[in-house]
Amino acid sequence: MKNIAIIMGGYSSEYKISLTSGNVVYETLDRSKYTPYRIHIFKDKWVYVNDEEDEFPIDKNDFSINVDAFKITFDCVFNAIHGSPGEDGFMQGYFQLLGIPHTSCDMYQASVTFNKRDCLSVLKPYGIKTAESYFLNLGDTIDEAAIVNTVALPCFVKANKAGSSFGVSKVHKQEDLQKAIDVAFKEDDEIIIESFLDGVEVSVGVITYKGKTKVLPITEIVSENDFFDYEAKYLGKSQEITPARLTKEQEDKVNKEAKKVYEVLKMKGFSRSEFIFKNGEPHLLEMNTVPGLTRESILPQQAAAANITLADLFDNAIEEALK
């Protein structure tokens, strides 16, 4: 029996979604193989939460807990933290220092993929197509004409290091740019402004499964809103169609690109990359390295379409981490 710490929560706006993902992992893990522990990671506390909702503090020196005067350590950490500090490299670096295996990618990969600007910059030399982009840091002079000249309208204004469509606005008129920039800066001190790609949006899960890179069935995103925002993602304002309604040529192209991105970045564990087709070619928007793991989330839907159960998906992640 292996002790598995399921870390959930986090420091970002996504903490509620993370708690849901973590609890699904907790409920699903095979109790004949694993003893799972729910670990809540927040800025003001790191605690183990038992089934009675009692809290026990984490000893950060070795990531252990004391329950009834008995010290418990962990064989593996299952990372279910969306956003900081679980998706940006901080927890990966911490566990690497402690020598504790974990289910997510390594520290550098987490840091690069969480930073949209850095990720796209790293991948461009490999021929990965992306939208036109314009970068702003907090305090920079805002030249609206230069922005529009670079990315055209409509465009997307995004927080650079935030997930789940927090801090994202679609801008149709130049006079609305400043408001969108202000919204994005509430989430992050760096923002990215991207050209609008008008085409089919898809999400492609790529995982390490039984020792090999596996591309899962593709999901097509059809949002009821103007784009795939928070409401569309989590409040039912979208259709997520798996498998996506793509031609064989489109499917082959995006599968190839998603696998290439995963392998170029030397990824491990879960990933979910978002693409939009423009002129028949998939353009990468971003990669998530700790995607949602609720039963309604995209990656579990894709795994189910590949005849991989949630229990098998989670078990495989732990087995890969322990290799």
Side-chain angles (χ1 to χ4, degrees):
M1 292 287 283
K2 297 198 182 312
N3 289 341
I4 308 298
I6 306 166
I7 58 172
M8 60 187 87
Y11 304 165
S12 76
S13 305
E14 302 177 76
Y15 77 92
K16 288 183 180 176
I17 305 153
S18 171
L19 292 174
T20 303
S21 288
N23 280 313
V24 169
V25 177
Y26 178 73
E27 292 159 8
T28 305
L29 283 185
D30 183 351
R31 295 304 196 276
S32 69
K33 295 176 70 173
Y34 308 116
T35 304
Y37 293 81
R38 294 184 298 165
I39 309 295
H40 288 191
I41 305 287
F42 293 111
K43 282 182 178 176
D44 60 342
K45 62 181 179 181
W46 290 22
V47 292
Y48 157 56
V49 181
N50 68 13
D51 288 340
E52 287 72 46
E53 302 300 320
D54 301 318
E55 296 184 353
F56 302 82
I58 298 287
D59 183 343
K60 294 181 184 178
N61 292 300
D62 60 359
F63 199 69
S64 65
I65 53 176
N66 272 284
V67 180
D68 300 327
F70 184 73
K71 181 174 180 173
I72 297 169
T73 58
F74 300 103
D75 298 291
C76 183
V77 173
F78 196 110
N79 184 4
I81 297 178
H82 314 312
S84 186
E87 202 167 4
D88 55 7
F90 285 97
M91 297 306 292
Q92 288 84 350
Y94 170 69
F95 292 125
Q96 189 174 337
L97 286 170
L98 293 178
I100 301 174
H102 58 87
T103 58
S104 48
C105 59
D106 291 335
M107 179 178 70
Y108 170 76
Q109 283 73 14
S111 177
V112 165
T113 52
F114 193 68
N115 186 312
K116 296 180 182 74
R117 288 161 32 166
D118 287 358
C119 186
L120 298 177
S121 298
V122 166
L123 290 170
K124 271 186 178 178
Y126 292 91
I128 304 298
K129 296 177 178 63
T130 64
E132 295 296 328
S133 55
Y134 188 103
F135 303 153
L136 276 177
N137 295 327
L138 189 62
D140 284 354
T141 300
I142 297 168
D143 185 339
E144 292 184 357
I147 293 169
V148 172
N149 187 53
T150 302
V151 302
L153 291 171
C155 65
F156 283 102
V157 180
K158 304 177 180 180
N160 187 43
K161 302 186 297 293
S164 290
S165 302
F166 289 106
V168 180
S169 304
K170 186 176 180 182
V171 176
H172 296 268
K173 297 179 290 187
Q174 184 171 323
E175 53 263 38
D176 295 332
L177 259 177
Q178 185 63 58
K179 181 183 176 184
I181 288 167
D182 293 341
V183 167
F185 275 137
K186 286 179 183 175
E187 290 289 332
D188 190 19
D189 59 3
E190 299 174 353
I191 67 175
I192 180 170
I193 304 173
E194 291 182 322
S195 60
F196 169 59
L197 299 175
D198 190 10
V200 176
E201 181 171 355
V202 295
S203 186
V204 189
V206 185
I207 62 175
T208 304
Y209 187 72
K210 301 188 186 303
K212 295 181 179 178
T213 303
K214 183 176 181 65
V215 182
L216 297 172
I218 303 163
T219 299
E220 180 182 348
I221 308 297
V222 183
S223 176
E224 292 177 21
N225 293 352
D226 202 15
F227 63 98
F228 194 44
D229 59 5
Y230 183 88
E231 279 191 334
K233 269 187 185 174
Y234 298 111
L235 303 179
K237 295 293 184 75
S238 70
Q239 277 184 284
E240 295 162 4
I241 303 164
T242 310
R245 299 168 298 183
L246 300 177
T247 65
K248 182 69 166 62
E249 183 184 11
Q250 286 177 315
E251 187 180 324
D252 290 345
K253 280 183 177 179
V254 78
N255 279 348
K256 183 180 177 183
E257 290 295 274
K259 187 179 185 202
K260 183 177 178 179
V261 168
Y262 191 90
E263 293 182 339
V264 162
L265 292 173
K266 296 182 170 63
M267 284 294 301
K268 295 191 297 191
F270 300 128
S271 79
R272 202 191 71 229
S273 296
E274 318 300 326
F275 293 87
I276 287 183
F277 281 91
K278 180 185 178 184
N279 299 326
E281 298 294 329
H283 288 57
L284 178 69
L285 299 179
E286 64 177 1
M287 174 188 272
N288 301 284
T289 60
V290 187
L293 297 172
T294 70
R295 289 173 179 83
E296 297 77 30
S297 296
I298 292 172
L299 191 91
Q301 286 182 37
Q302 295 174 340
N307 295 315
I308 300 171
T309 66
L310 268 185
D312 187 23
L313 186 70
F314 299 157
D315 180 79
N316 176 77
I318 293 169
E319 291 297 322
E320 288 295 329
L322 290 171
K323 283 183 176 178

